[in-house]
Amino acid sequence: MAKDKLIGVDLGGTTIKFAILTDEGEVQQKWSIQTNVLDGGKYIVPDIIESINHHLDIYQLDRDRVIGIGLGTPGTVNIAEGTVKGAYNLNWATEQPVKEAIEAGTGFSLKIDNDANVAALGEAWKGAGNNDDDVSFITLGTGVGGGLVANGQLIHGAGGAGGEVGHIIVEPNGYLCTCGNRGCLEQYASATGVVHLAQDFAEQYVGQSRLKQMIDNGDEVTSKIIFDLAKDGDFLANETVNKVAYYLGYASAMIANTLNPSAIVIGGGVAAAGEFLRERVEKDWKPFAFPTVRTSTRIKLAELGNDAGVIGAASLAR
Amino acid sequence: MAKDKLIGVDLGGTTIKFAILTDEGEVQQKWSIQTNVLDGGKYIVPDIIESINHHLDIYQLDRDRVIGIGLGTPGTVNIAEGTVKGAYNLNWATEQPVKEAIEAGTGFSLKIDNDANVAALGEAWKGAGNNDDDVSFITLGTGVGGGLVANGQLIHGAGGAGGEVGHIIVEPNGYLCTCGNRGCLEQYASATGVVHLAQDFAEQYVGQSRLKQMIDNGDEVTSKIIFDLAKDGDFLANETVNKVAYYLGYASAMIANTLNPSAIVIGGGVAAAGEFLRERVEKDWKPFAFPTVRTSTRIKLAELGNDAGVIGAASLAR
């Protein structure tokens, strides 16, 4: 029996997503379960094993056809050993032997990488990256993460911090970051970073603005509200989005002048603003991009949404 | 007969350097010839062929032991085709079928890449990079170039502009660069960039300084003179070197936060200032480097000097 199926697992703090794919990356089955983080997250790996075995039975998939399993996870991943630690939203503080356990419990080989890297692989393979060998991915959510594919391979670097694009410095002496440095992209382009910028702008602004009213009133303001107000023409909201786009443009140019990928793919919740954000980032990155880079690297929106994780995870197992 | 020898060729505007190496990268023979750029550089390839064939005869090296030839060249390289164009210091404006000609003339297979990339490979393999898989190289000369090795491979990118580290923007709206952008590293850390910075500082400075006197007198000032004066304690020269180190530190952190190499290796003529420059770059990059990067990436000086080119070129043929 020819092996032609991949299993992708996207492990998150609230849900675990699963998919069975062809070896060409076509999703054939998808399902998800809740993540049970109780008791130090000790049920997570057994739940993954049980869910895979159960669904292979449901779908009556011949196990001989499975090439392997790929898994994306939060935390710090030891790729060679297949262990994970410091995944605090899973309550995995200490090292977890994930690979060993899942391989024993399913009989399939497992490859593992962190969630942002896996999402990058997904977008590079089947999403905005068009299966190119050089694709960079920036994900804008609670934090700013990313994954960099060069010569068809993820960049991990000497200490595993390759692709930490959220910590590119875009404003020397700027906002203090959780990492201890000042001016990291994450402090300006994450969901909380966008709000922080808006709050600072509101303090200095004296004109008409619904956003300023909300902030002055102490209403809850989210990055989505700011983008929606900007689309409605609110001046302060637009100033905020322009600044976010500027920093994203600058960071994109830093990445692109280094790697010259065919695409810088922007995804994550904040990127739900879509073309409204993308076109501004594209305008702002141009003055910083080396001429050859400007014509050979494109700024694109992510295309796979929540499926990037399972697809990219599955690609690890190819 | 086992194949165990590599030939490396470092093609420059004034000399062509050659070496025969073991497949472990040990240089066994070195020689060089003048580059004859007359008549549109049409003698260059025949001269390379003749010199290789002649020296194999001199050294009585069995041709069956040669694995192949690697060549580093200025200009824009088409790696797949093995052609070079836009190498103006060789008078090669139009596309030159270098690979085809040298393979026909020597009987050996040839691989080719640009000179900065090849020097990066040399330092990564046998120099400061310690044969690690992730090494970044910045060369400070007339311009600022570089080469980036990730996962053991050179990064070329979608348009061949990967590793153009001289065009990382270190000062938005800064000095105008030959590439058309403003604030590129090359405008601050190349030999001419260092002098440009010193001239600007001299205009604003009113205190005692031998460097200021020289600039005000219209004496010829070089980057070497500036570094020498800084070592002697000249205030203005030290301010200049500090600013160069700051920009190098910032750019190094941008590269390192992206790639997390085991080393950022600084080479080229300006880096002849040695530890005097390196220690300042190291101090200045720290506030910009992500914590994991700060502990796993080191700022190092190049170790191979002029041999980096032939050694790196030879490594292409491995």
Tab-separated table of all heavy atoms in Angstrom, chain A residues 148 151 153-155 157-164 167-169 179 181 250 257-260 262 287-292 294 296, chain B residues 148 151 153-155 157-164 167 169 179 181 250 254 257-260 262 287-292 294 296:
chain	number	residue	atom	x	y	z
A	148	LEU	N	10.249	31.890	9.085
A	148	LEU	CA	10.978	32.256	7.879
A	148	LEU	C	11.407	30.994	7.153
A	148	LEU	O	12.075	30.136	7.736
A	148	LEU	CB	12.211	33.081	8.251
A	148	LEU	CG	11.933	34.312	9.126
A	148	LEU	CD1	13.239	34.955	9.564
A	148	LEU	CD2	11.065	35.318	8.385
A	151	ASN	N	15.375	28.765	1.159
A	151	ASN	CA	15.830	27.543	0.480
A	151	ASN	C	14.929	26.354	0.832
A	151	ASN	O	15.388	25.215	0.911
A	151	ASN	CB	17.277	27.220	0.853
A	151	ASN	CG	18.260	28.231	0.307
A	151	ASN	OD1	18.188	28.609	-0.875
A	151	ASN	ND2	19.174	28.689	1.137
A	153	GLN	N	13.539	25.632	3.595
A	153	GLN	CA	13.659	25.138	4.972
A	153	GLN	C	13.356	26.237	5.973
A	153	GLN	O	13.701	27.405	5.749
A	153	GLN	CB	15.081	24.647	5.230
A	153	GLN	CG	15.444	23.348	4.559
A	153	GLN	CD	16.844	22.933	4.984
A	153	GLN	OE1	17.831	23.329	4.385
A	153	GLN	NE2	16.919	22.150	6.058
A	154	LEU	N	12.756	25.878	7.099
A	154	LEU	CA	12.574	26.822	8.186
A	154	LEU	C	13.922	27.244	8.753
A	154	LEU	O	14.831	26.431	8.885
A	154	LEU	CB	11.768	26.190	9.323
A	154	LEU	CG	10.264	26.211	9.195
A	154	LEU	CD1	9.659	25.364	10.295
A	154	LEU	CD2	9.714	27.634	9.247
A	155	ILE	N	14.006	28.521	9.103
A	155	ILE	CA	15.211	29.005	9.762
A	155	ILE	C	15.004	28.930	11.271
A	155	ILE	O	14.096	29.570	11.810
A	155	ILE	CB	15.516	30.452	9.335
A	155	ILE	CG1	15.958	30.458	7.870
A	155	ILE	CG2	16.572	31.075	10.237
A	155	ILE	CD1	16.182	31.828	7.307
A	157	GLY	N	18.012	28.826	13.443
A	157	GLY	CA	19.148	29.526	14.015
A	157	GLY	C	19.835	28.735	15.102
A	157	GLY	O	19.392	27.658	15.508
A	158	ALA	N	20.942	29.314	15.587
A	158	ALA	CA	21.808	28.613	16.536
A	158	ALA	C	21.111	28.376	17.869
A	158	ALA	O	21.330	27.366	18.520
A	158	ALA	CB	23.093	29.414	16.747
A	159	GLY	N	20.244	29.307	18.298
A	159	GLY	CA	19.604	29.170	19.604
A	159	GLY	C	18.113	28.943	19.515
A	159	GLY	O	17.402	29.067	20.508
A	160	GLY	N	17.624	28.647	18.301
A	160	GLY	CA	16.201	28.416	18.107
A	160	GLY	C	15.373	29.691	18.038
A	160	GLY	O	14.147	29.638	17.996
A	161	ALA	N	16.027	30.851	18.002
A	161	ALA	CA	15.292	32.121	17.982
A	161	ALA	C	15.237	32.734	16.582
A	161	ALA	O	14.830	33.879	16.429
A	161	ALA	CB	15.894	33.108	18.973
A	162	GLY	N	15.623	31.961	15.559
A	162	GLY	CA	15.466	32.458	14.190
A	162	GLY	C	13.988	32.706	13.921
A	162	GLY	O	13.137	31.946	14.377
A	163	GLY	N	13.689	33.782	13.210
A	163	GLY	CA	12.301	34.077	12.879
A	163	GLY	C	11.517	34.759	13.990
A	163	GLY	O	10.304	34.884	13.904
A	164	GLU	N	12.205	35.225	15.018
A	164	GLU	CA	11.509	35.967	16.091
A	164	GLU	C	11.277	37.399	15.612
A	164	GLU	O	11.787	38.372	16.181
A	164	GLU	CB	12.331	35.950	17.384
A	164	GLU	CG	12.218	34.665	18.157
A	164	GLU	CD	10.870	34.498	18.879
A	164	GLU	OE1	10.024	35.410	18.810
A	164	GLU	OE2	10.681	33.436	19.497
A	167	HIS	N	10.449	40.683	17.513
A	167	HIS	CA	11.447	41.379	18.319
A	167	HIS	C	12.482	42.106	17.476
A	167	HIS	O	13.546	42.473	17.961
A	167	HIS	CB	12.060	40.414	19.335
A	167	HIS	CG	11.012	39.887	20.258
A	167	HIS	ND1	10.561	40.584	21.354
A	167	HIS	CD2	10.230	38.779	20.187
A	167	HIS	CE1	9.579	39.909	21.943
A	167	HIS	NE2	9.365	38.806	21.255
A	168	ILE	N	12.144	42.325	16.215
A	168	ILE	CA	12.910	43.280	15.418
A	168	ILE	C	12.645	44.673	16.001
A	168	ILE	O	11.509	45.022	16.294
A	168	ILE	CB	12.469	43.208	13.934
A	168	ILE	CG1	12.962	41.892	13.318
A	168	ILE	CG2	12.965	44.416	13.150
A	168	ILE	CD1	12.490	41.679	11.891
A	169	ILE	N	13.718	45.432	16.188
A	169	ILE	CA	13.575	46.766	16.786
A	169	ILE	C	13.149	47.757	15.692
A	169	ILE	O	13.885	47.986	14.738
A	169	ILE	CB	14.911	47.244	17.403
A	169	ILE	CG1	15.478	46.205	18.385
A	169	ILE	CG2	14.734	48.617	18.064
A	169	ILE	CD1	14.728	46.038	19.655
A	179	CYS	N	10.269	41.304	26.439
A	179	CYS	CA	11.582	40.644	26.315
A	179	CYS	C	12.670	41.445	27.013
A	179	CYS	O	13.800	40.978	27.124
A	179	CYS	CB	11.938	40.398	24.851
A	179	CYS	SG	12.571	41.849	23.983
A	181	ASN	N	13.808	44.417	25.936
A	181	ASN	CA	14.326	45.451	25.037
A	181	ASN	C	13.273	46.538	24.822
A	181	ASN	O	12.129	46.405	25.248
A	181	ASN	CB	14.717	44.830	23.684
A	181	ASN	CG	15.924	43.921	23.803
A	181	ASN	OD1	16.647	43.977	24.800
A	181	ASN	ND2	16.146	43.091	22.801
A	250	TYR	N	8.534	48.886	7.853
A	250	TYR	CA	9.959	48.947	8.176
A	250	TYR	C	10.493	47.553	8.507
A	250	TYR	O	11.516	47.118	7.965
A	250	TYR	CB	10.175	49.902	9.348
A	250	TYR	CG	11.619	50.089	9.730
A	250	TYR	CD1	12.483	50.795	8.914
A	250	TYR	CD2	12.123	49.550	10.915
A	250	TYR	CE1	13.818	50.971	9.255
A	250	TYR	CE2	13.451	49.713	11.274
A	250	TYR	CZ	14.291	50.427	10.431
A	250	TYR	OH	15.608	50.573	10.777
A	257	ASN	N	15.232	42.721	3.025
A	257	ASN	CA	16.598	43.055	2.602
A	257	ASN	C	17.576	41.977	3.049
A	257	ASN	O	18.670	41.859	2.510
A	257	ASN	CB	17.016	44.415	3.167
A	257	ASN	CG	16.311	45.573	2.484
A	257	ASN	OD1	15.668	45.400	1.444
A	257	ASN	ND2	16.414	46.751	3.055
A	258	THR	N	17.184	41.198	4.022
A	258	THR	CA	18.025	40.099	4.491
A	258	THR	C	17.771	38.834	3.674
A	258	THR	O	18.708	38.198	3.209
A	258	THR	CB	17.741	39.819	5.988
A	258	THR	OG1	17.895	41.037	6.719
A	258	THR	CG2	18.671	38.771	6.554
A	259	LEU	N	16.508	38.490	3.468
A	259	LEU	CA	16.157	37.186	2.889
A	259	LEU	C	15.627	37.249	1.453
A	259	LEU	O	15.600	36.227	0.775
A	259	LEU	CB	15.090	36.500	3.755
A	259	LEU	CG	15.471	36.229	5.203
A	259	LEU	CD1	14.298	35.599	5.942
A	259	LEU	CD2	16.688	35.306	5.272
A	260	ASN	N	15.165	38.403	1.036
A	260	ASN	CA	14.567	38.545	-0.300
A	260	ASN	C	13.596	37.399	-0.630
A	260	ASN	O	13.699	36.735	-1.653
A	260	ASN	CB	15.668	38.621	-1.372
A	260	ASN	CG	15.176	38.964	-2.770
A	260	ASN	OD1	15.822	38.616	-3.745
A	260	ASN	ND2	14.058	39.614	-2.902
A	262	SER	N	10.049	35.581	-1.842
A	262	SER	CA	9.099	35.959	-2.900
A	262	SER	C	7.910	36.678	-2.284
A	262	SER	O	7.294	37.519	-2.930
A	262	SER	CB	8.646	34.727	-3.677
A	262	SER	OG	7.975	33.823	-2.827
A	287	PRO	N	10.104	52.590	0.573
A	287	PRO	CA	11.308	53.423	0.714
A	287	PRO	C	12.448	52.708	1.440
A	287	PRO	O	13.585	53.162	1.395
A	287	PRO	CB	10.825	54.611	1.559
A	287	PRO	CG	9.351	54.566	1.543
A	287	PRO	CD	8.941	53.159	1.266
A	288	PHE	N	12.145	51.600	2.111
A	288	PHE	CA	13.165	50.891	2.891
A	288	PHE	C	13.676	49.639	2.190
A	288	PHE	O	14.617	49.000	2.658
A	288	PHE	CB	12.591	50.487	4.255
A	288	PHE	CG	12.133	51.639	5.091
A	288	PHE	CD1	10.861	51.669	5.635
A	288	PHE	CD2	12.981	52.716	5.348
A	288	PHE	CE1	10.437	52.734	6.418
A	288	PHE	CE2	12.566	53.787	6.122
A	288	PHE	CZ	11.293	53.799	6.656
A	289	ALA	N	13.031	49.235	1.112
A	289	ALA	CA	13.403	47.990	0.442
A	289	ALA	C	14.437	48.251	-0.649
A	289	ALA	O	14.289	49.205	-1.431
A	289	ALA	CB	12.162	47.322	-0.147
A	290	PHE	N	15.461	47.428	-0.683
A	290	PHE	CA	16.493	47.492	-1.725
A	290	PHE	C	15.790	47.315	-3.086
A	290	PHE	O	14.848	46.532	-3.199
A	290	PHE	CB	17.484	46.358	-1.463
A	290	PHE	CG	18.670	46.348	-2.374
A	290	PHE	CD1	19.569	47.407	-2.401
A	290	PHE	CD2	18.918	45.250	-3.201
A	290	PHE	CE1	20.684	47.382	-3.232
A	290	PHE	CE2	20.031	45.223	-4.033
A	290	PHE	CZ	20.912	46.294	-4.045
A	291	PRO	N	16.222	48.069	-4.114
A	291	PRO	CA	15.479	48.036	-5.387
A	291	PRO	C	15.175	46.640	-5.935
A	291	PRO	O	14.035	46.365	-6.330
A	291	PRO	CB	16.379	48.841	-6.325
A	291	PRO	CG	17.055	49.829	-5.420
A	291	PRO	CD	17.287	49.104	-4.124
A	292	THR	N	16.139	45.735	-5.940
A	292	THR	CA	15.869	44.374	-6.436
A	292	THR	C	14.823	43.683	-5.572
A	292	THR	O	13.992	42.918	-6.064
A	292	THR	CB	17.153	43.515	-6.412
A	292	THR	OG1	18.211	44.237	-7.002
A	292	THR	CG2	16.943	42.201	-7.143
A	294	ARG	N	12.470	45.239	-3.845
A	294	ARG	CA	11.186	45.908	-4.061
A	294	ARG	C	10.428	45.273	-5.224
A	294	ARG	O	9.208	45.207	-5.227
A	294	ARG	CB	11.430	47.399	-4.322
A	294	ARG	CG	10.270	48.297	-3.982
A	294	ARG	CD	10.623	49.744	-4.309
A	294	ARG	NE	11.734	50.226	-3.522
A	294	ARG	CZ	12.739	50.968	-4.004
A	294	ARG	NH1	12.769	51.315	-5.272
A	294	ARG	NH2	13.712	51.359	-3.216
A	296	SER	N	11.038	42.068	-6.404
A	296	SER	CA	10.941	40.602	-6.380
A	296	SER	C	10.272	40.049	-5.126
A	296	SER	O	9.949	38.870	-5.077
A	296	SER	CB	12.326	39.963	-6.572
A	296	SER	OG	13.247	40.433	-5.624
B	148	LEU	N	24.829	35.348	3.803
B	148	LEU	CA	24.126	34.742	4.931
B	148	LEU	C	24.000	33.249	4.691
B	148	LEU	O	23.474	32.815	3.670
B	148	LEU	CB	22.733	35.364	5.069
B	148	LEU	CG	22.706	36.891	5.171
B	148	LEU	CD1	21.275	37.408	5.134
B	148	LEU	CD2	23.420	37.362	6.432
B	151	ASN	N	20.948	27.093	7.779
B	151	ASN	CA	20.786	25.659	7.529
B	151	ASN	C	21.876	25.137	6.580
B	151	ASN	O	21.626	24.256	5.757
B	151	ASN	CB	19.407	25.370	6.934
B	151	ASN	CG	18.282	25.599	7.926
B	151	ASN	OD1	18.360	25.163	9.067
B	151	ASN	ND2	17.245	26.290	7.505
B	153	GLN	N	23.171	26.554	4.051
B	153	GLN	CA	23.082	26.992	2.651
B	153	GLN	C	23.092	28.507	2.554
B	153	GLN	O	22.533	29.204	3.410
B	153	GLN	CB	21.760	26.507	2.048
B	153	GLN	CG	21.690	25.030	1.772
B	153	GLN	CD	20.380	24.703	1.058
B	153	GLN	OE1	19.360	24.478	1.701
B	153	GLN	NE2	20.400	24.736	-0.253
B	154	LEU	N	23.661	29.040	1.490
B	154	LEU	CA	23.595	30.472	1.230
B	154	LEU	C	22.153	30.879	0.958
B	154	LEU	O	21.414	30.166	0.278
B	154	LEU	CB	24.427	30.824	0.004
B	154	LEU	CG	25.912	31.062	0.217
B	154	LEU	CD1	26.593	31.204	-1.135
B	154	LEU	CD2	26.171	32.284	1.074
B	155	ILE	N	21.790	32.038	1.461
B	155	ILE	CA	20.471	32.589	1.155
B	155	ILE	C	20.595	33.497	-0.061
B	155	ILE	O	21.324	34.497	-0.035
B	155	ILE	CB	19.926	33.364	2.369
B	155	ILE	CG1	19.594	32.383	3.486
B	155	ILE	CG2	18.707	34.189	1.969
B	155	ILE	CD1	19.150	33.028	4.764
B	157	GLY	N	17.524	34.144	-2.037
B	157	GLY	CA	16.231	34.813	-2.143
B	157	GLY	C	15.646	34.752	-3.533
B	157	GLY	O	16.275	34.265	-4.476
B	158	ALA	N	14.418	35.269	-3.634
B	158	ALA	CA	13.651	35.143	-4.869
B	158	ALA	C	14.276	35.929	-6.023
B	158	ALA	O	14.213	35.518	-7.179
B	158	ALA	CB	12.220	35.622	-4.632
B	159	GLY	N	14.908	37.056	-5.710
B	159	GLY	CA	15.472	37.883	-6.778
B	159	GLY	C	16.984	37.941	-6.732
B	159	GLY	O	17.599	38.775	-7.404
B	160	GLY	N	17.592	37.057	-5.942
B	160	GLY	CA	19.061	37.038	-5.854
B	160	GLY	C	19.621	38.128	-4.953
B	160	GLY	O	20.828	38.314	-4.884
B	161	ALA	N	18.750	38.865	-4.255
B	161	ALA	CA	19.224	39.967	-3.411
B	161	ALA	C	19.253	39.596	-1.933
B	161	ALA	O	19.413	40.465	-1.085
B	161	ALA	CB	18.367	41.213	-3.628
B	162	GLY	N	19.101	38.309	-1.618
B	162	GLY	CA	19.253	37.882	-0.230
B	162	GLY	C	20.664	38.196	0.236
B	162	GLY	O	21.617	38.043	-0.535
B	163	GLY	N	20.800	38.639	1.480
B	163	GLY	CA	22.121	38.944	2.014
B	163	GLY	C	22.680	40.288	1.621
B	163	GLY	O	23.848	40.563	1.839
B	164	GLU	N	21.832	41.154	1.062
B	164	GLU	CA	22.314	42.513	0.714
B	164	GLU	C	22.306	43.366	1.981
B	164	GLU	O	21.569	44.354	2.098
B	164	GLU	CB	21.425	43.129	-0.369
B	164	GLU	CG	21.716	42.645	-1.767
B	164	GLU	CD	23.002	43.215	-2.357
B	164	GLU	OE1	23.679	44.012	-1.674
B	164	GLU	OE2	23.336	42.841	-3.489
B	167	HIS	N	22.367	47.188	2.539
B	167	HIS	CA	21.193	48.025	2.259
B	167	HIS	C	20.092	47.861	3.304
B	167	HIS	O	18.945	48.223	3.061
B	167	HIS	CB	20.719	47.793	0.828
B	167	HIS	CG	21.793	48.151	-0.152
B	167	HIS	ND1	22.024	49.454	-0.544
B	167	HIS	CD2	22.766	47.406	-0.733
B	167	HIS	CE1	23.075	49.483	-1.348
B	167	HIS	NE2	23.548	48.258	-1.481
B	169	ILE	N	18.343	49.384	6.278
B	169	ILE	CA	18.183	50.801	6.626
B	169	ILE	C	18.479	50.977	8.114
B	169	ILE	O	17.779	50.426	8.960
B	169	ILE	CB	16.742	51.284	6.346
B	169	ILE	CG1	16.310	50.961	4.911
B	169	ILE	CG2	16.597	52.774	6.671
B	169	ILE	CD1	16.980	51.751	3.844
B	179	CYS	N	21.806	53.162	-4.114
B	179	CYS	CA	20.662	52.331	-4.509
B	179	CYS	C	19.387	53.156	-4.632
B	179	CYS	O	18.360	52.651	-5.081
B	179	CYS	CB	20.452	51.172	-3.522
B	179	CYS	SG	19.609	51.642	-1.987
B	181	ASN	N	17.764	54.558	-2.042
B	181	ASN	CA	17.130	54.694	-0.731
B	181	ASN	C	17.961	55.600	0.168
B	181	ASN	O	19.079	55.997	-0.183
B	181	ASN	CB	16.965	53.319	-0.075
B	181	ASN	CG	15.948	52.463	-0.802
B	181	ASN	OD1	15.161	52.965	-1.608
B	181	ASN	ND2	15.959	51.170	-0.525
B	250	TYR	N	23.299	47.926	15.293
B	250	TYR	CA	21.871	47.893	14.981
B	250	TYR	C	21.595	46.928	13.829
B	250	TYR	O	20.707	46.060	13.923
B	250	TYR	CB	21.385	49.308	14.633
B	250	TYR	CG	19.905	49.384	14.347
B	250	TYR	CD1	18.970	49.266	15.367
B	250	TYR	CD2	19.445	49.580	13.043
B	250	TYR	CE1	17.610	49.346	15.111
B	250	TYR	CE2	18.086	49.655	12.776
B	250	TYR	CZ	17.169	49.535	13.808
B	250	TYR	OH	15.829	49.596	13.545
B	254	MET	N	19.457	43.368	13.643
B	254	MET	CA	18.368	43.091	12.698
B	254	MET	C	18.599	41.736	12.030
B	254	MET	O	17.683	40.939	11.874
B	254	MET	CB	18.290	44.180	11.613
B	254	MET	CG	17.950	45.568	12.092
B	254	MET	SD	16.366	45.687	12.977
B	254	MET	CE	16.952	45.771	14.668
B	257	ASN	N	18.254	38.952	14.878
B	257	ASN	CA	16.890	38.689	15.322
B	257	ASN	C	16.107	37.944	14.243
B	257	ASN	O	15.095	37.318	14.531
B	257	ASN	CB	16.173	40.001	15.681
B	257	ASN	CG	16.680	40.597	16.977
B	257	ASN	OD1	17.390	39.950	17.735
B	257	ASN	ND2	16.320	41.842	17.241
B	258	THR	N	16.566	38.019	13.026
B	258	THR	CA	15.929	37.299	11.928
B	258	THR	C	16.479	35.882	11.817
B	258	THR	O	15.723	34.921	11.718
B	258	THR	CB	16.153	38.064	10.603
B	258	THR	OG1	15.701	39.410	10.770
B	258	THR	CG2	15.408	37.423	9.454
B	259	LEU	N	17.805	35.747	11.844
B	259	LEU	CA	18.439	34.456	11.525
B	259	LEU	C	19.031	33.735	12.734
B	259	LEU	O	19.298	32.536	12.648
B	259	LEU	CB	19.557	34.664	10.500
B	259	LEU	CG	19.124	35.277	9.164
B	259	LEU	CD1	20.355	35.470	8.272
B	259	LEU	CD2	18.107	34.373	8.469
B	260	ASN	N	19.288	34.452	13.807
B	260	ASN	CA	19.945	33.864	14.981
B	260	ASN	C	21.136	32.964	14.612
B	260	ASN	O	21.199	31.797	14.992
B	260	ASN	CB	18.927	33.081	15.820
B	260	ASN	CG	19.487	32.602	17.158
B	260	ASN	OD1	20.431	33.167	17.682
B	260	ASN	ND2	18.917	31.547	17.696
B	262	SER	N	25.041	31.505	14.662
B	262	SER	CA	25.962	31.336	15.790
B	262	SER	C	26.948	32.493	15.836
B	262	SER	O	27.414	32.864	16.907
B	262	SER	CB	26.705	30.005	15.691
B	262	SER	OG	27.476	29.963	14.516
B	287	PRO	N	21.507	45.983	23.214
B	287	PRO	CA	20.145	46.478	23.523
B	287	PRO	C	19.131	46.164	22.417
B	287	PRO	O	17.927	46.273	22.656
B	287	PRO	CB	20.334	47.999	23.646
B	287	PRO	CG	21.788	48.235	23.720
B	287	PRO	CD	22.481	47.071	23.120
B	288	PHE	N	19.604	45.781	21.249
B	288	PHE	CA	18.699	45.523	20.125
B	288	PHE	C	18.482	44.035	19.869
B	288	PHE	O	17.639	43.656	19.054
B	288	PHE	CB	19.250	46.164	18.844
B	288	PHE	CG	19.424	47.651	18.935
B	288	PHE	CD1	20.633	48.243	18.603
B	288	PHE	CD2	18.372	48.463	19.342
B	288	PHE	CE1	20.798	49.614	18.678
B	288	PHE	CE2	18.524	49.841	19.421
B	288	PHE	CZ	19.748	50.418	19.092
B	289	ALA	N	19.268	43.202	20.526
B	289	ALA	CA	19.195	41.762	20.260
B	289	ALA	C	18.203	41.099	21.219
B	289	ALA	O	18.221	41.368	22.427
B	289	ALA	CB	20.575	41.128	20.396
B	290	PHE	N	17.354	40.247	20.678
B	290	PHE	CA	16.404	39.456	21.468
B	290	PHE	C	17.214	38.620	22.477
B	290	PHE	O	18.296	38.124	22.149
B	290	PHE	CB	15.628	38.559	20.496
B	290	PHE	CG	14.533	37.756	21.124
B	290	PHE	CD1	13.459	38.373	21.750
B	290	PHE	CD2	14.559	36.368	21.059
B	290	PHE	CE1	12.438	37.619	22.313
B	290	PHE	CE2	13.539	35.612	21.607
B	290	PHE	CZ	12.481	36.242	22.249
B	291	PRO	N	16.727	38.479	23.717
B	291	PRO	CA	17.549	37.818	24.743
B	291	PRO	C	18.163	36.475	24.330
B	291	PRO	O	19.359	36.240	24.554
B	291	PRO	CB	16.574	37.675	25.916
B	291	PRO	CG	15.659	38.849	25.764
B	291	PRO	CD	15.487	39.047	24.282
B	292	THR	N	17.362	35.593	23.717
B	292	THR	CA	17.919	34.306	23.289
B	292	THR	C	19.027	34.509	22.257
B	292	THR	O	20.019	33.780	22.230
B	292	THR	CB	16.829	33.418	22.651
B	292	THR	OG1	15.694	33.393	23.486
B	292	THR	CG2	17.335	32.009	22.422
B	294	ARG	N	20.916	37.200	22.027
B	294	ARG	CA	22.065	37.825	22.686
B	294	ARG	C	22.993	36.781	23.278
B	294	ARG	O	24.212	36.964	23.306
B	294	ARG	CB	21.546	38.771	23.793
B	294	ARG	CG	22.479	39.895	24.154
B	294	ARG	CD	21.864	40.744	25.275
B	294	ARG	NE	20.619	41.360	24.862
B	294	ARG	CZ	19.523	41.439	25.638
B	294	ARG	NH1	19.532	40.944	26.861
B	294	ARG	NH2	18.415	42.005	25.183
B	296	SER	N	23.105	33.479	22.180
B	296	SER	CA	23.489	32.394	21.264
B	296	SER	C	24.154	32.876	19.979
B	296	SER	O	24.695	32.070	19.225
B	296	SER	CB	22.264	31.521	20.924
B	296	SER	OG	21.194	32.281	20.420
